[in-house]
Amino acid sequence: KKLTFDGIRYLEELEEPNKNSKKIFVAFNFNKRLKRIFNNNLKEAIEFEGLEYVVVNQDNVEHNKYINDEIIVKLKAARIVIADVTNHRNSVYFEAGFAMGMNIPVIWTCQKKDKDNMAFDINQFPHIVWKDKDDLVDEFNEFLFDYTSKISLEDIKQAKKEIQKDELDKIQSPY
């Protein structure tokens, strides 16, 4: 059996799903204070970068749908998931775990006051630990810059191969 171009493309998509998506799924505890911070400040920062802020809760889902179905659909379409574990809402862990299983990058965040109460099994991941709304936005912007400005080693290797192939074609072809 031979590997086809469609097969290669599929394997590449598994490595970095939703590569062209502009959706950032945000999961957090929906208390009033955090809703203000995330739905105003973080949303503004995300949209300023030309990305789409995505939150699923009872306020924005039709009541005849199962909310979990809507969450999964939105997660599958996301480029990045932000999972804030401040106040330790169980569904945040579910949403982050689902994203990780889909190979979607997860940005873990937690307000400084709750850092010591994080679940032991997520302590191993890097977290943005934030003090206030401005700190959260600044840290997110720094992460986003780092994330989007990295050129993968595979991209560099592929570019070198293309350059070498072009050079070889010039040598072999009299035209």
Side-chain angles (χ1 to χ4, degrees):
K1 297 191 177 207
K2 293 183 181 179
L3 187 60
T4 65
F5 286 112
D6 289 339
I8 293 170
R9 186 177 308 120
Y10 175 74
L11 290 173
E12 288 172 347
E13 287 171 2
L14 287 177
E15 189 173 305
E16 193 173 355
N18 308 327
K19 185 176 180 177
N20 298 317
S21 174
K22 294 194 176 285
K23 298 176 186 304
I24 297 186
F25 186 98
V26 183
F28 60 96
N29 184 303
F30 294 130
N31 72 31
K32 287 181 183 180
R33 184 179 60 81
L34 291 176
K35 274 175 110 172
R36 273 194 311 275
I37 291 170
F38 282 86
N39 289 340
N40 295 328
N41 304 95
L42 189 63
K43 178 181 181 186
E44 183 180 308
I46 288 170
E47 290 176 347
F48 181 80
E49 295 299 329
L51 302 168
E52 183 182 341
Y53 177 84
V54 178
V55 170
V56 177
N57 63 29
Q58 61 202 19
D59 299 334
N60 64 4
V61 173
E62 294 176 28
H63 291 288
N64 62 348
K65 289 185 175 181
Y66 290 110
I67 197 163
N68 285 342
D69 293 343
E70 190 72 13
I71 289 168
I72 289 170
V73 165
K74 301 288 186 187
L75 280 167
K76 284 182 174 182
R79 170 75 188 266
I80 298 171
V81 171
I82 297 174
D84 185 80
V85 295
T86 305
N87 298 334
H88 312 290
R89 184 172 152 247
N90 290 333
S91 57
V92 171
Y93 295 99
F94 166 79
E95 293 156 357
F98 186 90
M100 290 172 74
M102 296 290 298
N103 206 27
I104 297 168
V106 175
I107 304 171
W108 293 93
T109 67
C110 184
Q111 193 167 22
K112 188 174 184 169
K113 69 176 183 67
D114 267 6
K115 182 182 181 289
D116 294 335
N117 299 322
M118 286 191 298
F120 77 95
D121 53 347
I122 66 160
N123 276 326
Q124 63 187 324
F125 302 114
H127 284 70
I128 293 174
V129 178
W130 53 280
K131 295 176 284 216
D132 56 30
K133 63 185 180 189
D134 296 328
D135 192 35
L136 174 63
V137 169
D138 290 346
E139 292 288 337
F140 168 75
N141 284 332
E142 187 176 315
F143 169 86
L144 192 61
F145 176 79
D146 289 346
Y147 180 79
T148 57
S149 64
K150 288 182 181 171
I151 299 175
S152 75
L153 185 57
E154 289 305 313
D155 290 340
I156 293 169
K157 287 179 183 177
Q158 184 62 34
K160 283 183 178 179
K161 283 181 186 176
E162 289 173 12
I163 291 168
Q164 289 170 345
K165 183 183 178 304
D166 288 346
E167 293 299 316
L168 190 60
D169 287 346
K170 288 178 186 175
I171 293 169
Q172 292 177 349
S173 173
Y175 306 105

